[in-house]
């Protein structure tokens, strides 16, 4: 067993490994702690290079004792966007493309891990509120593990996500409220013993799956972390996870003390972290009337708010909000300039990098990694095609 104990992220109170958990008694996320000395003995750069690529090769720093519930979680590539960089006068720009994972988003990492742990604990039903990608991933891994799944989405959830989730056999409900309101219903059901609640950060293992993004990044960049990371921040699992993961990598001797500046990116229509960051607050207030096309980051209230803000501040980064127009322009530009279809949340991140460059927060010669967390094809796109009558068409006029 790699896990030594779990710990309340606010109070440090300890919880035993090997049994299911939700939030701590203080109502805050639990963080998983490992036998780092044990991990250090076997996790060398050489041993890692010789393992099959993908999230499960980081096994000493993952919580499962059973074989993973897996759908083929690839190591996602770092893709250069040279024309997008050049347009801003920057020397390089890298995107970690999480859209290559099963179900087309990085929610697969977290849910592969959470469902594996649920299977280890003998859970038979899991539920969550979702803006789309997480529900699809829960449903897919649930199907794989033989665990029933119940998914509640806000009305604006992209259609593709709702139909995809149902395709995996989940019970899917489209509700007339925001994700935190859907979450309240899921929480009630969990309290009644109907299912296990695997909402973002309300169970400890999704974070452990998502932190692997940071592990992969470190190895892909030759065990030297970049100068800055731009991360689309909803619940913040990935940002908090990577920040935790970097400390684990340092503790096992794989990296040094250099850390990237972490930029938490939100949409102007739902920016609770940006408001709290700018106000100097430790916790973030709920954002009323949240609205943005970037549905993955439309999260009015995050239970891990203080962890996001802490990581951003400790790293010397910032929380940045971008407009809907900037998001859509960024998606369009990256598609045209570099043949790379960002998802809207990825568009937000590109827009934030541009804003940060303009404001002098990042330099044009710094190494920056943007996270594109879903396949752009999962979202509706504007139809710019023209109609054609073949009988009257002239090829040379096309
Ligand atoms: C869920 C999601 C996010 C936000 O991720 P968190 O780690 O929960 O902040 C960003 N982009 C996409 C595409 C998502 O599905």
């Amino acid at each position: 067993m790699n896990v030594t104990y779990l710990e309340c992220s606010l109070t440090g109170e300890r919880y035993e490994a090997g049994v299911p958990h939700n939030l701590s008694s203080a109502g805050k996320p639990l963080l998983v702690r490992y036998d780092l000395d044990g991990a250090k003995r076997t996790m060398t750069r050489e041993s890692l290079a010789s393992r099959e690529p993908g999230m499960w090769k980081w096994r000493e720093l993952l919580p499962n004792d059973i074989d993973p519930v897996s759908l083929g979680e690839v190591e996602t590539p770092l893709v250069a966007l040279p024309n997008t960089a050049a347009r801003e006068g920057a020397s390089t720009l890298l995107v970690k493309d999480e859209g290559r994972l099963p179900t087309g988003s990085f929610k697969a990492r977290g849910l592969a891990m959470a469902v594996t742990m649920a299977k280890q604990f003998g859970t038979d039903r899991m539920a969550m509120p979702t803006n789309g990608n997480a529900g699809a991933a829960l449903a897919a891994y649930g199907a794989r593990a033989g665990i029933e799944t119940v998914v509640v989405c806000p009305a604006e959830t992209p259609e593709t996500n709702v139909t995809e989730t149902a395709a995996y056999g989940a019970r899917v409900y489209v509700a007339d409220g925001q994700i935190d309101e859907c979450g309240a219903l899921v929480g009630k059901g969990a309290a009644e013993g109907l299912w296990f609640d695997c909402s973002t950060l309300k169970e400890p293992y999704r974070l452990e799956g998502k932190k692997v993004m940071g592990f992969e990044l470190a190895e892909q960049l030759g065990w030297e972390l970049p100068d800055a990371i731009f991360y689309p921040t909803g619940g913040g699992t990935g940002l908090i996870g990577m920040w935790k993961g970097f400390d684990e990598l340092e503790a096992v001797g794989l990296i040094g003390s250099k850390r990237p500046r972490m930029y938490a990116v939100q949409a102007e229509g739902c920016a609770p972290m940006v408001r709290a960051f700018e106000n100097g607050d430790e916790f973030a207030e709920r954002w009323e009337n949240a609205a943005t096309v970037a549905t993955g980051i439309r999260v009015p209230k995050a239970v891990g708010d203080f962890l996001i803000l802490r990581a951003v501040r400790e790293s010397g980064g910032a929380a940045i909000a971008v407009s809907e127009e900037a998001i859509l322009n960024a998606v369009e530009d990256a598609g045209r300039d570099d043949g790379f279809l960002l998802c809207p949340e990825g568009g937000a991140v590109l827009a934030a990098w541009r804003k940060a460059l303009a404001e002098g927060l990042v330099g044009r010669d710094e190494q920056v990694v943007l996270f594109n967390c879903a396949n752009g094809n999962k979202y509706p796109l504007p139809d710019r095609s023209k109609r054609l009558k073949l009988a009257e068409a002239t090829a040379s006029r096309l």
Side-chain angles (χ1 to χ4, degrees):
M1 215 166 80
N2 303 326
V3 180
T4 45
Y5 58 89
L6 293 87
E7 182 180 65
C8 173
S9 54
L10 187 68
T11 66
E13 189 191 350
R14 290 191 181 193
Y15 292 77
E16 101 186 85
V19 292
H21 290 291
N22 287 112
L23 293 174
S24 72
S25 60
K28 298 299 173 195
L30 291 179
L31 299 175
V32 182
R33 300 298 181 201
Y34 294 87
D35 171 12
L36 295 171
D37 292 333
K40 190 171 185 168
R41 283 194 286 276
T42 50
M43 285 189 103
T44 62
R45 293 180 181 187
E46 296 69 34
S47 74
L48 287 163
S50 70
R51 296 180 189 180
E52 196 182 318
M55 66 181 270
W56 307 107
K57 81 174 197 173
W58 304 93
R59 55 184 176 256
E60 291 92 336
L61 294 175
L62 293 177
N64 53 306
D65 297 325
I66 63 164
D67 283 344
V69 178
S70 174
L71 289 162
E73 298 71 29
V74 295
E75 178 183 298
T76 61
L78 276 178
V79 182
L81 300 186
N83 296 324
T84 305
R87 189 198 264 267
E88 307 302 327
S91 45
T92 58
L93 182 63
L94 294 172
V95 174
K96 188 145 170 75
D97 187 17
E98 294 285 304
R100 316 285 179 107
L101 287 158
T103 72
S105 89
F106 72 161
K107 293 295 194 303
R109 295 185 186 272
L111 273 309
M113 196 70 255
V115 170
T116 296
M117 294 309 287
K119 187 178 172 197
Q120 179 173 321
F121 298 140
T123 307
D124 53 17
R125 196 179 298 137
M126 301 170 82
M128 67 155 59
T130 181
N131 280 321
N133 289 325
L138 172 67
Y141 286 94
R144 194 76 176 184
I147 294 174
E148 269 183 61
T149 55
V150 181
V151 170
V152 188
C153 340
E156 297 86 9
T157 304
E159 174 86 27
T160 345
N161 276 313
V162 176
T163 50
E164 182 192 357
T165 305
Y168 302 124
R171 298 214 298 272
V172 193
Y173 298 91
V174 178
D176 56 351
Q178 292 283 351
I179 187 165
D180 52 342
E181 297 164 317
C182 298
L185 182 65
V186 168
K188 255 184 213 154
E192 288 167 23
L194 297 174
W195 50 62
F196 181 77
D197 182 350
C198 58
S199 305
T200 304
L201 291 174
K202 290 188 183 166
E203 68 76 56
Y205 302 109
R206 287 174 62 184
L207 183 92
E208 296 303 299
K210 274 203 183 173
K211 77 180 179 188
V212 173
M213 293 189 290
F215 293 172
E216 287 181 8
L217 190 59
E219 189 179 29
Q220 287 170 314
L221 295 176
W223 303 107
E224 176 90 21
L225 295 172
D227 297 311
I229 286 177
F230 282 71
Y231 185 82
T233 306
T237 327
L239 189 147
I240 300 165
M242 285 194 279
W243 195 244
K244 172 178 187 281
F246 295 150
D247 285 349
E248 293 169 355
L249 287 184
E250 187 177 356
V252 301
L254 286 167
I255 61 168
S257 59
K258 178 187 168 184
R259 294 288 183 275
R261 301 194 306 279
M262 306 294 280
Y263 291 93
V265 177
Q266 300 202 300
E268 284 174 0
C270 182
M273 296 306 142
V274 180
R275 186 171 59 192
F277 178 76
E278 287 173 355
N279 290 344
D281 296 336
E282 187 184 3
F283 298 95
E285 288 200 14
R286 184 175 196 270
W287 189 273
E288 300 303 327
N289 305 316
T292 170
V293 287
T295 44
I297 54 175
R298 196 187 54 211
V299 178
K301 176 89 188 135
V303 66
D305 52 0
F306 65 107
L307 298 171
I308 298 169
L309 291 161
R310 206 182 274 173
V312 165
R313 288 183 177 126
E314 273 178 20
S315 75
I320 299 178
V322 291
S323 70
E324 294 298 292
E325 194 192 357
I327 292 173
L328 296 173
N329 287 342
V331 171
E332 199 175 314
D333 291 346
R336 289 224 190 114
D337 293 347
D338 277 309
F340 193 102
L341 189 61
L342 294 165
C343 61
E345 298 81 357
V349 160
L350 173 55
W353 172 69
R354 288 170 159 177
K355 192 171 173 179
L357 275 177
E359 290 177 3
L361 292 176
V362 293
R364 288 184 159 73
D365 289 318
E366 285 195 305
Q367 187 179 49
V368 173
V369 175
L370 311 183
F371 275 79
N372 183 58
C373 297
N375 185 321
N377 284 313
K378 295 193 85 177
Y379 300 78
L381 289 167
D383 180 3
R384 298 212 171 83
S385 62
K386 298 183 182 112
R387 302 305 114 191
L388 191 64
K389 288 206 171 80
L390 289 174
E392 296 157 23
T394 311
S396 62
R397 293 222 190 100
L398 293 185

